[in-house]
């Protein structure tokens, strides 16, 4: 057992607020363009979100999301075109359907639904892009780390 | 006797069906006995732990290891048998993917203990006694294996040479391995799934397949499916689309949807996620025209309400080996 | 993998926030990275030259460029890669401008994020495949469906460019709707006169030999895809040989049978063998067999007997199925009017003297049922005319949109009625007045300045009631304030919303181009590609895509021809973008999970293989099928799962 730390020592050692790691899948035509728009307008945005560009939100496999969690992401964001605006007609609808399934399943895995958000950002919606990102970062900051960690740790034996 | 190669069959966390599959070799079991020293099999033979420990490393030619790794005993046996065996085969769905025992990964150890020792309706445990790894009694200390928080697969604990999937495996697959070893036929590359194909169960399923549009899901007792048509198209959750072929599509052939015991197909990391992707792609909302995002979500939810235990259904045989492996804590 | 990394400062707008030294130091630890070079403006001419020289000198196996958005710049750098002999798909852009420097106020955080993104790009690019653009031989001929202004203009443009065109028209006559109008807004030119030169060119102009005209014909089946369509056309019998007929009309004079003239909306009769209207082209009568005495068991041969040309009238003519090859299809089938009987209070179909605008056009036309004289059913000229705008438009219970054409022709009607009946009263009942266009307002202003013309704004068409009393009509309405009013008129003209063509359902099923929510053919993009359908190689021209006027329709006809000429250019094969889906046939079980997923019908299951097959020409590369495939048998090129996983792992480090 270590000695209890003094308050000052605790503060000094405090790592600051939890900074979640978030992976965002952005469709090329609407949401990535929306993100570019936010950039062009130089709207400050939390740096916690790492963007992966895909052609269509319909490309997002549930495996991408699970793998992101496994690799240390605290949250995943899928951004799609608005209904009726999909460059590929229906990809965003498939994304919605898969997302509904995913949410249902993540719940069984004890992963809060806020950690996997699907939203819709048009090419013109730079401000919405920043808002969705900010909200997501804050929501996940409140939830705390997902802490899946390496799988070995989860499987560590212990007394009955 | 000592000239014959040693064969062992071990059960870890499993139901015993894999042993039945061995017995289902019928008269061929005699040929196994003629060629092998059937050395270790807890449900048939009285070989002790110390007998195995006493062997030289690699003294066992083949170990068919069935069952998931649920307890410290399972793990210890896996490590021991790995050391003592030339070929360690993950035999049956539990050892490869965790299967039914691993569904407990959707809960917690504390939860299991509570349900099984404290809250079960048939329990009488006024003292709230829980099993302990060590218990002192007047005669000395009693030991129980530790119950892991997470069920693991065999390959998560030790290196595995081959896989024979199935719940239970087909006896003919066991025989083909045994035969190959007897005849000295070169074995496929290490890590291969023996008797497994490189596609999915649908490849072997004779039912007529069309472009899929699923408007509602049903449980098997709720409908009498058209025996000619793909079961998934009729709303039965058939995992054949995301399950390795090789079984001969035995279940769909008798109108029972595939539950996925051969595990994910070649190159697929997560059987449940693949099923999720496929189901989410083929929901029939009757067209999307004019629907808002919320309407699509709601209509999808309405269809999905027909699936009672999503994770349990899609990960029935593969949860421990899946990407997430268990419920987050 | 030897990967060359280029960091672009973008004139300092990136380096203002991102510390390149730190990024480079971080990358230096990465064994995949052969070198890290920086540039001030990589996209400038000097920058591109530098990149070209540097790539030539260092010959990296893969290239990562950390700069601005790939949406902006990827193509530019891919061209540079190609010039130095590197596969252009061995490039990955890390967007450290829009996604980092410009939105991250804190330089330290910006640098860390930039490092992560570049790391991701390096990890990903190592798995990039050497994709190749493929080329395909194509058929350059075109099938144009519909011979209205849009179809005629498209056909003529294409024929003038030397293309073979098959012009498929459902009716026996060319010209679509405007040839049936006496005069056109805004300049009151005569409708047939406007289109006759175009039709003349199509029929016997210099390039007419390039156009095969099939009247009384419909497209019944389309197979194949962009560049290689096989089109089946069903042609109903005309019973008159279009080549032999000299158009003298002797047969018409001889015909003893009459039938309602559908070209005049049943307002008069025509002979069983007849021209739709005087001056219609081609100048070849057609026999409506249902109306012919021969259809009723009589052996009448009067028309054939009257015909001066041997074999021009052919009773043995029969329906034919014709096969044509085409690289592209232009749909120009026009629109319909909203069904006015769905507003029964307006009296259409139940009260005499209530006409739709199209019927009124025929009443105004000199080749129409009254020879252009405005007459009530009793033969007298109307003393007052009510023109009801916005019938079924701007109304959630009917069509929510404004067709944008009706007010303009309503004021044309105003002008024509006034010219013919100087003493008459004209009433406009409208919900909104919309007269777009730089010349169109003049007609509206004329009407507004006419003392005998009055305007009444109604709130809801549901409150509008037309009742017939003693040979004239009473129209009750309620204005926007809710106050009731009443107007007397002898004749009522309804200006209904333009709606998708009645044939859209059938034809869109054949073409696999689902109609939009209003029944029009759906465009690929409302602004950028309004003349393209969502199926590659099928183009849309005119009012079948959206309500529009003649000018708009003709413009789209030309646009559609432009798409064909640029897409299926002479002497060039069709290039197939390699960012498509591809099937691993060994892994595919033919489960058909992907079959219903593809919005472009690019996936098929050839019976000889029993596994999925992706037509790379039809595939748009969205990757949805790749995500759907439960066997991981479909690879989305350039967005393959291992590439995504590698990127994800690296950016999460």
């Amino acid at each position: 057992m270590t000695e209890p730390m003094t308050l000052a020592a605790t503060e000094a050692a405090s790592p600051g607020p939890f900074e979640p790691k978030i992976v965002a899948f952005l469709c090329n035509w609407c949401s990535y363009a929306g993100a570019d728009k936010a950039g062009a307008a130089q709207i400050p945005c939390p740096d916690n979100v790492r963007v992966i560009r895909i052609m269509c939100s319909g490309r997002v496999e549930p495996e991408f999301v699970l793998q992101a969690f496994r690799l240390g992401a605290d949250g995943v964001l899928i951004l799609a075109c608005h209904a009726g605006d999909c460059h590929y007609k229906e990809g965003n609808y498939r994304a919605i359907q898969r997302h509904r399934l995913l949410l249902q399943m993540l719940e069984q895995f004890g992963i809060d639904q806020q950690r996997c958000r699907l939203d819709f950002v048009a090419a013109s919606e730079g401000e919405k892009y920043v808002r969705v990102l900010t909200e997501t970062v804050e929501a996940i900051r409140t939830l705390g780390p997902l802490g899946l960690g390496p799988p070995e740790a989860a499987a560590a034996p212990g007394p009955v | 006797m000592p000239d014959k190669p040693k064969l062992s069959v071990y059960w870890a966390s499993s139901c015993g069906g894999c042993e039945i599959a061995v017995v289902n070799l019928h008269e061929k079991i005699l040929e196994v006995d003629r060629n092998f020293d059937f050395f270790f099999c807890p449900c048939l033979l009285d070989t002790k732990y110390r007998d195995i420990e006493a062997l030289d490393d690699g003294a066992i030619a083949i170990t068919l290891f069935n069952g998931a790794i649920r307890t410290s005993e399972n793990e210890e046996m896996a490590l021991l048998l790995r050391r003592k065996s030339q070929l360690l085969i993950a035999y049956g769905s539990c050892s490869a993917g965790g299967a039914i025992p691993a569904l407990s990964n959707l809960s917690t150890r504390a939860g299991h203990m509570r349900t099984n020792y404290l809250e079960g309706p048939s329990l009488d445990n006024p003292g709230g006694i829980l099993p302990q790894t060590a218990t002192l009694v007047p005669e000395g200390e009693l030991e129980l294996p530790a119950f892991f928080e997470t069920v693991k697969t065999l390959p998560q604990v030790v290196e595995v040479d081959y896989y024979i999937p199935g719940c239970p495996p087909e006896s003919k697959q066991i025989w083909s391995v045994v035969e190959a070893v007897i005849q000295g036929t070169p074995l496929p590359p290490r890590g291969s799934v023996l008797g497994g194909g490189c596609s999915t169960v649908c490849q072997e399923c004779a039912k007529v397949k069309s472009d899929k549009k699923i408007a509602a899901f049903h449980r098997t007792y709720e409908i009498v499916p058209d025996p000619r048509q793909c079961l998934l198209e009729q709303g039965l959750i058939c995992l054949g689309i995301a399950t390795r072929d090789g079984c001969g599509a035995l279940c769909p052939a008798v109108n029972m949807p595939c539950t996925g015991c051969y595990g994910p197909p070649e190159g697929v990391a997560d059987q449940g996620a693949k099923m999720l992707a496929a189901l989410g792609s083929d929901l029939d909302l009757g067209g999307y025209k004019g629907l808002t995002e919320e309407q699509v979500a709601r209509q999808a939810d309405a269809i999905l309400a027909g699936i009672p235990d999503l994770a349990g259904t899609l990960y029935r045989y593969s949860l421990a080996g899946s990407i997430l492996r268990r419920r987050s804590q | 993998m030897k990967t060359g990394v280029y960091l672009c400062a973008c004139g300092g707008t990136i380096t203002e926030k991102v510390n390149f030294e730190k990024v480079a130091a971080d990358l230096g630890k990465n064994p995949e990275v052969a070198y890290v070079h920086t540039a001030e403006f990589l996209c400038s001419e000097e920058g591109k030259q530098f990149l070209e020289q540097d790539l030539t000198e260092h010959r990296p196996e893969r290239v990562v460029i950390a700069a601005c958005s790939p949406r902006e710049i990827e193509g530019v750098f891919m061209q540079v890669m190609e010039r130095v002999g590197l596969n252009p798909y061995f490039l990955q852009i890390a967007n450290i401008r829009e996604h980092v420097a410009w939105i991250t106020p804190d330089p330290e955080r910006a640098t860390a994020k930039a490092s992560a993104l570049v790391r991701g790009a390096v990890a990903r690019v190592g798995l990039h495949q050497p994709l190749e653009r493929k080329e395909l031989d194509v058929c350059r001929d075109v099938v144009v469906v519909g011979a209205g202004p849009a179809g005629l203009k498209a056909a003529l443009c294409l024929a003038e460019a030397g293309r073979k065109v098959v012009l498929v028209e459902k009716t026996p006559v060319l010209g679509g709707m405007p040839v049936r109008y006496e005069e056109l807004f805004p300049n009151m030119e005569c409708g047939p006169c406007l289109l006759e030169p175009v039709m003349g060119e199509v029929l016997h102009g210099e390039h007419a030999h390039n156009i095969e005209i099939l009247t009384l014909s419909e497209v019944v089946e389309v197979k194949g895809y962009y560049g290689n369509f096989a089109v089946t056309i069903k042609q109903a019998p005309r019973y008159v040989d279009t080549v032999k007929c000299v158009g003298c009309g002797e047969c018409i004079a001889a015909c003893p049978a009459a039938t309602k003239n559908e070209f005049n909306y049943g307002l008069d009769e025509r002979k069983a063998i007849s021209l739709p209207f005087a001056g219609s082209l081609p100048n070849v009568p057609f026999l409506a067999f249902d109306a012919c005495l021969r259809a009723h068991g009589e052996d009448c041969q009067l028309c054939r007997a009257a015909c001066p040309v041997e074999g021009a009238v052919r009773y043995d003519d029969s329906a034919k199925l014709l096969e044509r090859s085409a690289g592209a299809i232009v749909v120009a089938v026009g629109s319909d009017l909203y069904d006015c009987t769905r507003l029964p209070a307006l009296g259409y179909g139940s009260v005499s003297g209530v006409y739709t605008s199209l019927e009124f056009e025929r009443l105004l036309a000199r080749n129409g049922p009254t020879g252009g004289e405005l007459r009530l059913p009793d033969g007298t000229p109307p003393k007052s005319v009510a023109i009801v705008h916005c019938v079924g438009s701007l109304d959630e219970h009917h069509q929510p949109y404004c067709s944008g054409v009706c007010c303009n022709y309503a004021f044309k009607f105003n002008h024509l009625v006034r010219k013919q009946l100087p003493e008459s009263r004209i009433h406009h009942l409208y919900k909104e007045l919309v007269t777009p266009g730089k010349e169109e307002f003049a007609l509206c202003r004329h009407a507004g300045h006419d003392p005998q013309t009055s305007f009444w704004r109604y709130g809801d068409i549901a409150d509008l009631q037309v009742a017939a009393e003693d040979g004239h009509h009473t129209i009750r309405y309620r204005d926007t304030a809710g106050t009731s009013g009443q107007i007397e008129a002898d004749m009522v003209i309804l200006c209904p919303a333009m709606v998708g063509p009645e044939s859209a359902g059938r034809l869109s099923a054949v073409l696999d181009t689902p109609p939009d929510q209003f029944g029009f053919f759906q465009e690929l993009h409302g602004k950028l590609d309004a003349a393209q359908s969502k199926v590659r190689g099928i183009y849309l021209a005119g009012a079948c895509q959206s309500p529009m006027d003649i000018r708009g329709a003709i413009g789209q006809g030309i646009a559609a021809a432009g798409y064909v000429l640029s897409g299926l250019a002479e002497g060039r094969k069709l290039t197939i973008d390699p960012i498509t889906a591809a099937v691993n046939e060994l892994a595919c079980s033919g489960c058909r999970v992907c079959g219903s997923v593809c919005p472009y019908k690019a996936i098929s299951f050839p019976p000889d293989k029993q596994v999925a097959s992706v037509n790379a020409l039809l595939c748009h590369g969205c990757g949805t099928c790749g995500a759907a495939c439960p066997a991981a048998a479909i690879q989305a090129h350039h967005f393959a799962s291992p590439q995504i996983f590698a990127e994800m792992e690296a950016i999460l480090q």
Side-chain angles (χ1 to χ4, degrees):
Chain A
M1 272 293 149
T2 49
E3 289 288 306
M5 283 196 280
T6 63
L7 188 62
T10 317
E11 275 179 0
S14 165
F18 161 58
E19 290 297 346
K21 282 186 183 174
I22 295 164
V23 171
F25 294 99
L26 269 56
C27 79
N28 182 59
W29 303 98
C30 286
S31 44
Y32 197 95
D36 283 354
K37 189 98 179 170
Q42 311 222 353
I43 311 171
C45 189
D47 61 301
N48 310 62
V49 181
R50 308 275 192 265
V51 170
I52 292 180
R53 183 173 71 116
I54 41 172
M55 294 313 281
C56 176
S57 57
R59 174 72 193 103
V60 179
E61 295 184 25
E63 269 192 28
F64 293 1
V65 176
L66 304 186
Q67 197 69 32
F69 288 139
R70 171 52 71 212
L71 292 169
D74 301 296
V76 175
L77 198 51
I78 303 162
L79 297 183
C81 305
H82 286 280
D85 289 349
C86 177
H87 184 82
Y88 304 103
K89 302 192 208 181
E90 294 177 354
N92 54 348
Y93 298 121
R94 315 258 178 229
I96 297 174
Q97 293 174 186
R98 295 192 192 121
H99 182 247
R100 298 313 294 176
L101 272 150
L102 202 47
L103 288 188
Q104 200 176 321
M105 207 181 74
L106 288 177
E107 180 144 5
Q108 287 186 277
F109 278 90
I111 295 176
D112 195 289
Q113 299 200 345
Q114 293 179 86
R115 293 193 189 272
C116 179
R117 175 168 176 176
L118 170 73
D119 216 314
F120 307 90
V121 171
S124 58
E125 295 180 322
E127 285 181 9
K128 180 174 181 189
Y129 172 74
V130 176
R131 177 166 60 76
V132 169
L133 253 62
T134 311
E135 283 172 10
T136 306
V137 171
E138 286 318 311
I140 293 171
R141 206 194 298 281
T142 310
L143 288 173
L146 176 59
L148 274 194
E152 290 73 24
V160 174
Chain B
M1 194 72 145
D3 298 330
K4 288 199 281 186
K6 286 186 165 49
L7 173 71
S8 86
V9 179
Y10 181 69
W11 56 5
S13 183
S14 63
C15 69
C18 289
E19 274 76 9
I20 305 296
V22 175
V23 178
N24 275 349
L25 284 168
H26 300 301
E27 64 276 14
K28 283 207 170 97
I29 195 109
L30 298 173
E31 203 158 329
V32 173
D33 186 58
R34 202 161 30 249
N35 288 283
F36 284 91
D37 171 13
F38 203 169
F39 177 74
F40 176 54
C41 181
C43 86
L44 296 173
L45 303 165
D46 200 24
T47 327
K48 299 298 183 198
Y49 181 82
R50 59 177 176 273
D51 300 330
I52 306 166
E53 249 187 333
L55 294 173
D56 291 340
D57 284 358
I60 302 171
I62 308 175
T63 290
L64 301 175
F65 190 107
N66 70 78
I69 309 301
R70 161 86 279 176
T71 66
S72 56
E73 181 199 21
N74 300 153
E75 187 171 55
E76 191 177 341
M77 288 304 293
L79 292 163
L80 178 67
L81 287 166
R82 170 68 279 181
R83 210 164 65 234
K84 301 296 177 188
S85 310
Q86 289 164 33
L87 291 182
L88 179 68
I89 296 177
Y91 168 64
S93 306
C94 296
S95 60
I100 307 296
L103 291 179
S104 75
N105 286 358
L106 292 172
S107 183
T108 58
R109 177 175 50 195
H112 294 316
M113 291 300 147
R114 214 168 37 244
T115 309
N116 289 302
Y117 294 101
L118 302 176
E119 292 174 355
S122 60
L123 288 176
D124 182 19
N125 183 7
I129 297 164
L130 292 175
Q132 302 293 317
T133 47
T135 309
L136 273 177
V137 291
E139 293 82 359
E141 193 179 69
L142 292 178
E143 276 182 38
L144 272 179
F147 187 91
F148 290 161
E149 181 70 50
T150 301
V151 174
K152 291 177 281 185
T153 67
L154 183 62
Q156 284 166 3
V157 175
V158 292
E159 269 192 69
V160 168
D161 297 299
Y162 294 105
Y163 296 83
I164 300 180
C167 182
E170 282 297 290
S171 300
K172 63 172 194 221
Q173 310 285 22
I174 308 168
W175 177 248
S176 63
V177 177
V178 167
E179 195 179 32
V181 172
I182 295 171
Q183 296 181 349
T185 329
L187 286 163
R190 197 156 178 256
S192 299
V193 176
L194 303 174
C198 55
S199 181
T200 70
V201 173
C202 307
Q203 173 99 358
E204 301 176 315
C205 176
K207 299 211 183 303
V208 177
K209 293 128 198 148
S210 327
D211 291 350
K212 296 187 180 8
K213 282 196 170 290
I214 307 167
F217 289 107
H218 309 286
R219 302 184 73 177
T220 45
Y221 65 83
E222 290 174 333
I223 61 161
V224 178
D226 177 344
R228 288 157 301 181
Q229 197 198 338
C230 165
L231 297 174
L232 183 60
E233 287 160 27
Q234 301 180 66
L236 294 173
I237 298 204
C238 180
L239 265 65
I241 54 168
T243 302
R244 183 188 290 275
D245 56 335
C247 61
L250 298 172
C251 298
V254 293
N255 298 324
M256 288 306 287
C258 168
T259 52
C261 74
Y262 261 49
E266 192 69 44
V268 169
D270 196 299
Q271 192 178 17
K274 279 282 182 256
M275 272 308 294
L276 204 72
L279 296 180
S281 303
D282 286 346
L283 299 183
D284 183 6
L285 269 52
Y288 298 112
K289 205 184 295 171
L291 293 185
T292 63
E293 295 110 7
E294 293 75 24
Q295 284 168 328
V296 173
R298 268 204 304 280
Q299 291 191 20
D301 284 349
I303 298 175
L304 299 176
I307 310 174
D309 171 12
L310 191 63
T313 306
L314 306 192
Y315 285 108
R316 188 171 297 182
Y317 296 96
S318 63
L319 186 64
S322 71
I323 293 173
L324 292 181
R325 299 191 183 185
R326 66 154 300 112
R327 187 180 169 85
S328 164
Q329 285 157 305
Chain C
M1 196 63 69
K2 191 181 155 194
T3 301
V5 178
Y6 294 87
L7 308 175
C8 173
C10 194
T13 65
I14 290 176
T15 40
E16 194 181 315
K17 290 285 158 60
V18 178
N19 183 333
F20 276 4
E21 278 172 30
K22 281 190 184 165
V23 175
D26 184 48
L27 286 170
K29 297 176 219 148
N30 190 327
E32 304 289 316
V33 176
Y35 61 88
V36 182
H37 292 167
T38 56
E40 193 59 19
F41 264 124
L42 206 55
C43 66
S44 67
E45 284 311 314
E46 300 77 42
K48 283 188 282 184
Q49 267 171 29
F50 155 73
L51 182 62
E52 197 169 330
Q53 283 162 10
D54 207 60
L55 289 174
T56 312
E57 191 179 322
H58 293 94
R59 302 304 303 172
E61 290 171 279
R62 298 286 190 278
V63 177
V64 165
I65 295 176
C68 56
S69 174
R71 285 174 53 84
E72 214 160 290
I73 212 69
E74 195 170 40
V76 171
F77 294 138
M78 282 172 82
Q79 283 172 18
V80 176
M81 301 261 297
E82 245 176 333
R83 277 206 294 278
V84 300
L86 281 168
N87 186 299
Y89 295 93
F90 283 163
L91 167 73
Q92 178 71 9
I93 307 278
N95 184 350
I96 59 165
R97 193 178 76 171
E98 283 88 346
H99 289 196
V100 183
W102 286 3
I103 57 166
T104 314
D106 178 49
E108 219 165 285
R109 285 171 171 241
T111 302
K113 185 175 176 185
S115 275
L117 295 190
V118 179
R119 220 164 40 227
V122 170
R124 182 194 214 282
V125 82
L127 299 174
H128 279 196
Q129 299 294 309
L131 302 175
E132 301 283 349
R133 295 190 188 102
K134 289 205 186 81
E135 291 193 322
L136 200 81
D137 284 318
V138 291
C139 169
R140 279 174 239 285
D141 301 347
V142 185
V143 166
V144 176
V145 191
L152 286 169
K153 195 70 183 177
L156 194 56
C157 283
L158 290 162
E160 283 170 353
R163 297 305 172 86
K164 295 280 178 206
V165 178
V166 182
L167 183 57
V168 181
E169 169 56 43
K170 189 173 66 172
T171 72
V173 48
L174 304 184
M177 300 311 292
V179 288
R180 306 178 197 183
Y181 305 162
E182 182 66 19
E183 292 184 20
L184 305 173
F185 72 78
N187 299 324
M188 308 312 286
E189 59 205 308
C190 119
C193 314
L194 176 89
L195 285 172
E196 253 159 33
V198 181
M199 290 191 285
E201 284 295 316
V202 166
L203 284 164
H204 3 261
E206 194 185 339
H207 305 282
H209 62 277
N210 282 332
I211 304 177
E212 178 187 16
I213 298 169
L214 298 174
T215 53
L216 291 162
S217 296
E218 284 187 84
V219 171
V220 289
E221 194 181 7
V222 173
K223 285 192 215 148
Y225 42 85
Y226 184 38
N228 288 291
F229 289 110
V231 183
T232 307
I233 298 153
K234 188 178 177 187
Q235 187 173 39
R238 191 179 188 106
Y239 300 103
V240 180
D241 190 313
T242 50
V243 177
K244 288 184 177 162
C245 174
V246 295
C248 65
E250 294 293 341
C251 56
I252 303 173
C255 178
T259 183
K260 283 223 179 254
N261 187 355
E262 69 270 29
F263 299 95
N264 289 336
Y265 306 97
L267 295 171
D268 67 346
E269 290 196 326
R270 63 171 167 82
K271 296 291 184 63
I273 190 165
S274 67
L275 289 167
F277 41 82
S280 66
L281 292 174
N283 184 20
V284 177
F286 74 105
L287 174 65
F289 190 71
D290 287 348
C292 175
L293 297 180
R294 298 179 64 84
H296 305 286
E298 291 183 38
D299 188 27
C300 174
Q301 299 191 11
L302 290 172
C303 56
R304 188 162 73 182
C307 178
V309 184
E310 180 71 27
V313 175
R314 293 181 42 205
Y315 297 137
D316 63 346
D317 200 1
S318 60
K320 289 184 274 290
L321 280 182
L322 307 164
E323 298 282 344
R324 296 291 180 270
S325 301
I329 298 170
V330 177
V331 181
V333 294
S335 62
D336 276 332
L337 290 185
Y338 190 68
D339 178 5
C340 292
T341 61
R342 296 178 72 174
L343 294 140
L346 298 182
Y348 180 73
S350 59
V351 177
S352 75
V354 179
Y355 300 100
T356 67
S357 51
L358 284 180
E359 289 166 353
F360 193 61
E361 294 278 10
R362 293 308 293 152
L363 288 178
L364 291 167
R366 260 171 289 188
N367 60 7
T370 57
E373 305 238 329
L374 283 183
R375 291 285 176 271
L376 291 169
D378 66 7
T380 60
K383 293 188 189 65
S384 56
V385 176
I387 300 172
V388 184
H389 298 230
C390 314
V391 175
S393 301
L394 298 168
D395 190 328
E396 291 305 325
H397 296 108
H398 301 283
Q399 301 298 90
Y401 53 83
C402 166
S403 298
V405 174
C406 334
C407 286
N408 281 331
Y409 71 62
F411 294 122
K412 171 185 83 176
F413 290 164
N414 197 110
H415 182 84
L416 290 169
V417 172
R418 174 63 60 243
K419 203 163 86 180
Q420 200 176 123
L421 306 167
E423 303 301 317
S424 65
R425 265 219 87 81
I426 304 173
H427 302 284
H428 287 270
L429 287 114
Y430 66 97
K431 190 169 188 176
E432 302 286 352
L433 286 181
V434 177
T435 57
K438 66 177 181 182
E439 292 175 311
E440 282 74 357
F441 71 96
L443 285 169
C444 174
R445 196 173 54 190
H446 266 124
H449 289 167
D450 176 10
Q452 290 285 90
T453 296
S454 36
F455 289 79
W456 312 94
R457 188 173 191 182
Y458 63 84
D460 186 346
I461 198 147
D463 300 326
L464 220 67
Q465 270 186 315
V466 177
E469 283 158 26
D470 311 328
H472 63 270
H473 302 88
T474 307
I475 306 170
R476 293 191 187 83
Y477 72 97
R478 222 188 286 261
D479 67 16
T480 45
T483 315
S484 298
Q486 192 169 311
I487 294 162
E488 307 292 320
D490 299 335
M491 190 182 260
V492 180
I493 317 302
L494 307 179
C495 304
M498 289 171 80
V499 296
E502 176 264 330
S503 63
R506 216 164 45 245
L507 187 57
S508 67
V510 167
L511 296 170
D512 220 353
T513 53
D516 68 14
Q517 63 197 100
F518 307 120
F520 292 98
F521 281 84
Q522 197 170 9
E523 66 283 343
L524 182 60
H525 189 283
K527 289 183 182 64
L528 291 171
D529 290 302
Q532 262 198 81
S533 82
K534 292 205 171 187
V535 177
R536 228 181 145 196
I538 296 182
Y539 302 100
L540 308 175
C544 66
Q545 179 258 322
S546 169
M548 67 179 69
D549 62 8
I550 299 168
R551 179 176 54 201
I554 287 192
Q556 270 198 328
I558 300 168
Y563 276 122
V564 175
L565 295 177
S566 63
L568 300 175
E570 286 304 338
R572 205 176 67 202
K573 292 183 175 189
L574 203 59
T575 313
I576 306 175
D577 190 322
I579 301 183
T580 54
V583 178
N584 172 358
E585 292 187 0
L586 273 178
C588 176
S589 66
C591 72
R592 298 185 77 132
V593 161
C594 55
S596 56
V597 171
C598 179
Y600 307 101
K601 309 282 175 202
I603 302 176
S604 62
F605 296 85
D608 56 324
K609 282 189 184 162
Q610 300 286 343
V611 297
S613 164
V614 174
N615 183 325
L617 198 63
L618 296 184
C619 176
H620 286 226
C622 66
T624 305
C625 58
C629 177
I634 302 185
Q635 193 191 44
H637 280 322
H638 217 52
F639 292 88
S641 302
Q643 296 166 350
I644 307 269
F645 287 146
E647 182 176 2
M648 195 153 70
E649 187 168 3
I651 60 175
L652 280 168
Q653 269 168 22

